[in-house]
């Protein structure tokens, strides 16, 4: 309302000044003979001077109202055109009648591009920040796992080993003196040995999954060699060099850790066979033991360790198969399709299945 009154009064003053200049040009400087007749002559008992003022006021405020209405209509058009930008849409005029002027259309298009560019930049910065935070968290998790593994190995693991040695010596002494060791002593020795296996499985699980510029075969061989020195059962393995992506190798290495950790905890096996080979454009990783096995029920098959193995296999596009028979053992097999470059395949090169590396 204030805008309407202010604009109307301004136009009225301008029109009144133009009429005064026109009368001055016709009658000269105001005098009683010329200008006074505007007050003496009347129409409908209203002087002509008053009619001039009324008409000028009507024209002024009508023009002001019409202009204000057009401005508001244009604002609505602009708002309607810019609203899609707030909703991540593309600015497009509705039709030719509602389209803006050429200059305003160009300005709006530039504004659209600026907003879209700023939005993409903010999204990229946000995504990068989230990725950096995830990377930092993963690095801290790995460092914490390494610290825990070192402390457990240097303290609890060594104490369990010492306790196991003392119990073994006590059992030998009792058997030498009395011909048979007490059952409680044998049970205690068995519990300590089981605790050692649990600790080794935990240390294996805490081992970092990164291969540190090693191939998967080298990483697995180092892992199995180190593990063989700490367990009482026999480990046999056949490992081949298979060309895989870095992500696939890291996932398969973690799958190997999970599977071997489950074997240490639950299998009670005397023999474990590990296979990692390439056959028919498939990378095959298999762990087989002769342990106690388990019933392939829904609850057991969905246990935490096996579920992790299956999820990691799915993440790299592999298939995971678990077969277990009570009192006969368990087989965990992961098959990953290999995308090969045809130029790297040597024609007529025979496959060698006879090289078996055993530990």
């Amino acid at each position: 309302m204030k805008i309407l009154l202010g604009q109307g009064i301004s136009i009225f003053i301008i029109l009144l000044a133009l009429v005064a200049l026109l009368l001055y040009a016709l009658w000269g400087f105001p005098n009683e003979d010329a200008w006074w007749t505007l007050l003496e002559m009347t129409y409908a008992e209203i002087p002509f001077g008053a009619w001039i003022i009324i008409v000028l006021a009507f024209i002024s405020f009508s023009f002001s109202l019409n202009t204000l209405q057009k401005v508001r209509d244009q604002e609505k058009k602009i708002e309607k055109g810019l609203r899609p930008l707030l909703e991540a849409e593309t600015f497009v005029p509705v039709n030719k009648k509602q389209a803006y002027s050429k200059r305003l259309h160009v300005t709006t298009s530039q504004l659209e591009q600026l907003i879209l560019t700023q939005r993409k930049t903010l999204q990229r910065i946000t995504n990068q920040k989230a990725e950096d935070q995830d990377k930092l968290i993963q690095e801290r998790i790995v460092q914490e796992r390494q610290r825990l593994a070192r402390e457990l190995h240097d303290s609890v693991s060594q104490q369990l080993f010492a306790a196991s040695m003392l119990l073994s010596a006590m059992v030998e002494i009792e058997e030498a003196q009395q011909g048979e060791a007490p059952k409680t002593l044998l049970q205690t020795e068995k519990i300590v040995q089981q605790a050692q296996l649990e600790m080794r499985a935990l240390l294996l699980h805490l081992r970092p999954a990164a291969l540190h510029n090693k191939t998967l075969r080298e990483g697995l061989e180092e892992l199995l060699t180190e593990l063989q020195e700490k367990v009482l059962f026999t480990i046999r393995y056949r490992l081949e060099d298979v060309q895989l992506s870095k992500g696939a190798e890291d996932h398969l290495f973690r799958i190997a850790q999970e599977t071997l950790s489950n074997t240490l905890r639950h299998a009670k096996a005397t023999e474990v066979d590990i296979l990692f080979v390439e056959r028919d454009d498939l990378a095959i990783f298999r762990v087989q033991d002769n342990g106690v096995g388990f019933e392939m029920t829904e609850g057991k098959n969905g246990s935490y360790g096996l579920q992790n193995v299956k999820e990691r296999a799915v993440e790299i596009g592999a298939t995971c198969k678990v077969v277990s028979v009570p009192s006969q053992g368990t087989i965990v097999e992961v098959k990953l399709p290999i995308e090969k470059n045809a130029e790297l395949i040597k024609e007529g090169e025979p496959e060698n299945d006879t090289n078996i590396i055993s530990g």
Side-chain angles (χ1 to χ4, degrees), residues 92-134:
V92 178
V94 179
N95 52 48
K96 292 183 179 180
K97 293 183 179 180
Q98 294 180 345
Y100 312 140
S101 64
K102 184 176 180 180
R103 179 180 297 178
L104 184 58
H105 180 76
V106 171
T107 303
T108 309
S109 299
Q110 293 175 348
L111 178 61
E112 175 201 10
Q113 294 298 324
L114 177 61
I115 293 176
L116 293 178
T117 302
Q118 292 294 330
R119 183 181 288 121
K120 291 179 180 179
T121 302
L122 290 175
Q123 290 175 349
R124 185 173 64 254
I125 293 174
T126 303
N127 294 335
Q128 184 64 39
K129 183 179 179 181
E131 291 176 0
D132 292 341
Q133 289 179 344
D134 290 341

Side-chain angles (χ1 to χ4, degrees), residues 70-86 90-94 97-101 103-109 111-112 115:
K70 288 183 178 179
V71 170
R72 289 182 177 177
D73 291 341
Q74 192 68 16
E75 287 178 350
K76 290 181 180 179
K77 291 180 182 179
I78 296 174
E79 180 183 3
K80 186 177 181 180
L82 295 179
R83 186 170 298 277
L85 292 179
L86 300 177
T90 303
F91 168 75
V92 178
V94 179
K97 293 183 179 180
Q98 294 180 345
Y100 312 140
S101 64
R103 179 180 297 178
L104 184 58
H105 180 76
V106 171
T107 303
T108 309
S109 299
L111 178 61
E112 175 201 10
I115 293 176

Side-chain angles (χ1 to χ4, degrees), residues 254-273:
R254 177 57 78 180
I255 287 173
Q257 289 179 285
E258 292 276 1
T259 307
L260 292 171
S261 177
N262 286 340
T263 302
L264 285 175
R265 282 193 177 101
H266 311 298
K268 298 180 181 179
T270 59
E271 296 180 356
V272 178
D273 293 281

Side-chain angles (χ1 to χ4, degrees), residues 116-267:
L116 293 178
T117 302
Q118 292 294 330
R119 183 181 288 121
K120 291 179 180 179
T121 302
L122 290 175
Q123 290 175 349
R124 185 173 64 254
I125 293 174
T126 303
N127 294 335
Q128 184 64 39
K129 183 179 179 181
E131 291 176 0
D132 292 341
Q133 289 179 344
D134 290 341
K135 185 177 180 180
L136 180 61
I137 291 173
Q138 292 300 323
E139 290 177 353
R140 290 180 178 177
I141 290 175
V142 170
Q143 293 175 359
E144 185 65 17
R145 290 166 69 100
Q146 291 176 338
R147 185 188 66 81
L148 288 174
R150 286 194 302 269
E151 292 184 0
L152 289 174
H153 181 270
D154 295 340
S155 58
V156 181
S157 182
Q158 296 296 330
Q159 292 172 4
L160 286 174
F161 177 74
S164 178
M165 295 297 293
L166 288 174
L167 288 171
S168 297
M170 292 174 64
V171 170
E172 291 179 359
I173 293 174
E174 291 292 333
E175 289 178 347
Q177 293 178 353
Q178 302 180 7
E180 183 181 359
K183 291 183 179 180
T184 54
L185 188 60
L186 293 175
Q187 290 176 351
T188 303
E189 183 185 23
K190 187 176 180 180
I191 291 173
V192 172
Q193 290 176 352
Q194 183 61 33
Q196 279 187 293
L197 288 177
E198 291 283 345
M199 180 57 63
R200 288 164 183 162
L202 179 59
L203 292 175
L204 178 64
H205 185 73
L206 290 174
R207 184 188 180 99
L211 294 173
H212 300 295
N213 297 324
K214 297 178 183 178
T215 65
L216 182 56
R217 184 192 64 80
E218 294 172 343
L220 288 174
E221 187 172 359
E222 179 181 342
L223 174 66
L224 295 173
T225 302
E226 179 183 347
L227 183 62
Q228 192 174 29
E229 297 175 354
K230 298 179 180 180
V231 296
L232 301 177
F233 53 80
T234 302
I235 298 178
R236 295 187 296 268
Y237 53 89
R238 178 195 302 174
L239 306 175
E240 295 181 359
D241 282 316
V242 181
Q243 297 297 325
L244 297 174
S245 65
K246 178 63 177 174
E249 286 190 338
D250 287 342
H251 272 63
L252 284 176
F253 188 70
R254 177 57 78 180
I255 287 173
Q257 289 179 285
E258 292 276 1
T259 307
L260 292 171
S261 177
N262 286 340
T263 302
L264 285 175
R265 282 193 177 101
H266 311 298

